[in-house]
Amino acid sequence: QKTKTKYERGRLEYLTTYRSTISFLTYIAILAVDFHIFPRKFAKTEEYGYGLMDLGAASFVICGGFVSRFARTNTPASSNSSSSSTIMLLIKQMKKTLPLIIMGFIRLASNKGLEYQEHVSEYGVHWNFFFTLTVVTIASSLWRRKISSMKLWVIKDTMIPILMLVVYQFVLNHYGLQKYIEDGSRYCSKEQHRNGIVKYLYEYKLCQYLCNFFAANREGILGCIGYTCLFVISEVIAKLCIWSSLQNDTTTNESTEEKKIENEKKYGHLVGTKLFTASFILWCILFFLEYILHIPTSRRSTNATFVVWALAQNVLGLFLTWLAFFLCEEEGNIEKHDDGKYRSKESISKTNVSVSSSSPMIFEAANHHGMTIFIIANLLTGVVNLSINTLEVSDGCAVIVILAYLVSVGSTALLLDWCGGVSGGIKSVVSFLSRKKSKEKSK
């Protein structure tokens, strides 16, 4: 039986490398920002503008959209439209996001009870990125459920999130929502807020507790709108630029080595063209929003300009990563023969061995267990901050701490991959303890 090539298996090394690179940069930034060695210009912006860590949170959501089930397949997670299945889907997603919810409350407890460093203008008083990821995961799944029965999904599934983003931006600009996010009070008072969104909350008789909760966490709650649009649009971009091309070019019945190489080369050109085109369109839209309509980028409100900027950065980064891999493969793995056909240099041998992965093993591990490693990295970040006063550590010690932390995160990723994930790791530990116990009894 012939071994499938990496393209037939859906193994895209450039995508694995890009996602893992974003993940490791995020792991480094979430700890390094607590030290003085981290330049303040790379920290999250307070009101308007661009920041490296602003891009990190958005990139994490976008990279998830690039490899979501909807992006990789022609159907969403569920296509049944009955109300009971919708409830079951909601319960399933709640179970899936339970680790994120737990981490969100752990982060909240550490912020309030242990005086952990926090910036209220980031997500609010009680909100954090784990709660945002939870809302995005559940909202996007319910989103797919509602449109799964629609025809012409490309038009509807692309235009609906764009329309929602346009409406959200319109409300931000013309109904005082942007100003409220930036300057509003952290509690509700009808006397102090006779205009704006708080007035409407009181008019609809929203209870005082919920109103205060919304006011205290308005950045995080309203930001879920922008992050959900970000995730859904990234799914559509990945589906159109990456996975649809892969499905079209690997479903042929051609089985010869020459045909496979030609299909891989054709796929590479097609993906590169689509990614470059998408990147160009996004940068043009960003220019139009910021310099023609004069809508500045706002991380706090996750407005339309921020969403387009994050998408443009990530699609361009993915294109450049693809370009590096494509040029290396052109140079190292594929050569054109006198008959005009392309053959891989590995095919010189008569064995039918597939092309090995070009991504480092640690990148493969981080890619397979991205969310688990992200949670572990945040836990280790909390341990470091509770163990030492990061603001008083010298630059040399800060580098040593960050390197040790990074080694720990990478080693955990490799260990999880070797054990087969969290469940596999638990089974291995239980098996080891049971064998040890049985040996002690035999003695």
Side-chain angles (χ1 to χ4, degrees), residues 273-292:
T273 302
K274 288 183 176 181
L275 286 176
F276 177 80
T277 303
S279 176
F280 178 78
I281 292 173
L282 288 169
W283 284 108
C284 290
I285 295 175
L286 178 63
F287 178 84
F288 177 78
L289 289 174
E290 191 152 12
Y291 295 101
I292 305 299

Side-chain angles (χ1 to χ4, degrees), residues 53-183:
M53 293 197 68
D54 297 335
L55 185 63
S59 297
F60 197 85
V61 174
I62 293 172
C63 286
F66 282 165
V67 295
S68 70
R69 181 175 179 179
F70 179 81
R72 291 182 286 109
T73 60
N74 290 324
T75 57
S78 176
S79 57
N80 194 345
S81 59
S82 64
S83 59
S84 60
S85 61
T86 302
I87 297 175
M88 292 303 297
L89 176 62
L90 180 60
I91 296 174
K92 180 181 178 181
Q93 293 301 319
M94 289 293 291
K95 292 180 179 179
K96 180 181 178 181
T97 58
L98 185 60
L100 292 174
I101 298 174
I102 294 174
M103 277 300 303
F105 281 107
I106 291 176
R107 182 62 182 264
L108 176 61
S110 63
N111 287 345
K112 304 304 176 185
L114 302 175
E115 297 183 355
Y116 187 80
Q117 302 178 38
E118 66 172 329
H119 297 279
V120 175
S121 63
E122 188 174 347
Y123 294 104
V125 178
H126 311 100
W127 203 268
N128 55 61
F129 188 55
F130 292 103
F131 293 142
T132 298
L133 288 177
T134 301
V135 173
V136 169
T137 302
I138 296 175
S140 61
S141 299
L142 296 178
W143 178 291
R144 296 302 175 200
R145 144 148 306 295
K146 295 302 180 182
I147 66 169
S148 59
S149 60
M150 296 182 181
K151 297 180 180 180
L152 298 175
W153 69 268
V154 174
I155 297 176
K156 293 182 179 180
D157 200 49
T158 304
M159 295 307 299
I160 292 175
I162 293 176
L163 179 62
M164 186 172 72
L165 194 61
V166 170
V167 173
Y168 178 53
Q169 184 62 54
F170 182 81
V171 174
L172 285 172
N173 288 352
H174 298 280
Y175 286 88
L177 188 58
Q178 181 71 43
K179 184 175 179 56
Y180 170 69
I181 292 175
E182 296 172 2
D183 305 323

Side-chain angles (χ1 to χ4, degrees), residues 5 34 73 87 93 174 191 193 199 221 248 251-252 265 285-286 296 301 308 325 332 337 364 368 389-390 406:
T5 65
D34 296 327
T73 60
I87 297 175
Q93 293 301 319
H174 298 280
E191 291 75 16
H193 301 277
K199 173 186 175 182
I221 296 174
N248 292 336
T251 53
T252 60
K265 188 177 179 66
I285 295 175
L286 178 63
S301 63
V308 174
F325 271 81
H337 287 237
E364 296 280 352
H368 292 161
N389 188 348
T390 56
L406 192 57

Side-chain angles (χ1 to χ4, degrees), residues 319-430:
F319 167 73
L320 294 176
T321 306
W322 165 86
L323 183 62
F325 271 81
F326 184 73
L327 293 177
C328 290
E329 288 184 355
E330 284 281 288
E331 191 70 24
N333 289 332
I334 300 176
E335 57 183 8
K336 189 173 183 180
H337 287 237
D338 296 335
D339 56 3
K341 295 182 177 180
Y342 294 93
R343 295 185 178 90
S344 65
K345 293 183 180 180
E346 287 86 350
S347 66
I348 296 177
S349 61
K350 299 302 181 181
T351 58
N352 218 344
V353 180
S354 63
V355 179
S356 61
S357 174
S358 302
S359 300
M361 186 181 301
I362 194 171
F363 276 14
E364 296 280 352
N367 187 62
H368 292 161
H369 312 285
M371 186 57 67
T372 303
I373 302 302
F374 179 68
I375 292 175
I376 292 174
N378 276 271
L379 289 173
L380 290 176
T381 301
V383 170
V384 171
N385 276 272
L386 295 176
S387 302
I388 61 175
N389 188 348
T390 56
L391 298 178
E392 296 179 358
V393 174
S394 64
D395 291 351
C397 291
V399 171
I400 294 175
V401 171
I402 294 172
L403 287 177
Y405 154 83
L406 192 57
V407 169
S408 300
V409 172
S411 301
T412 304
L414 292 173
L415 183 62
L416 278 176
D417 200 51
W418 179 70
C419 294
V422 177
S423 59
I426 295 175
K427 290 179 181 178
S428 300
V429 172
V430 172

Side-chain angles (χ1 to χ4, degrees), residues 18-30:
Y18 180 75
R19 293 184 71 244
S20 301
T21 301
I22 292 296
S23 297
F24 274 99
L25 289 175
T26 303
Y27 304 153
I28 295 172
I30 59 178

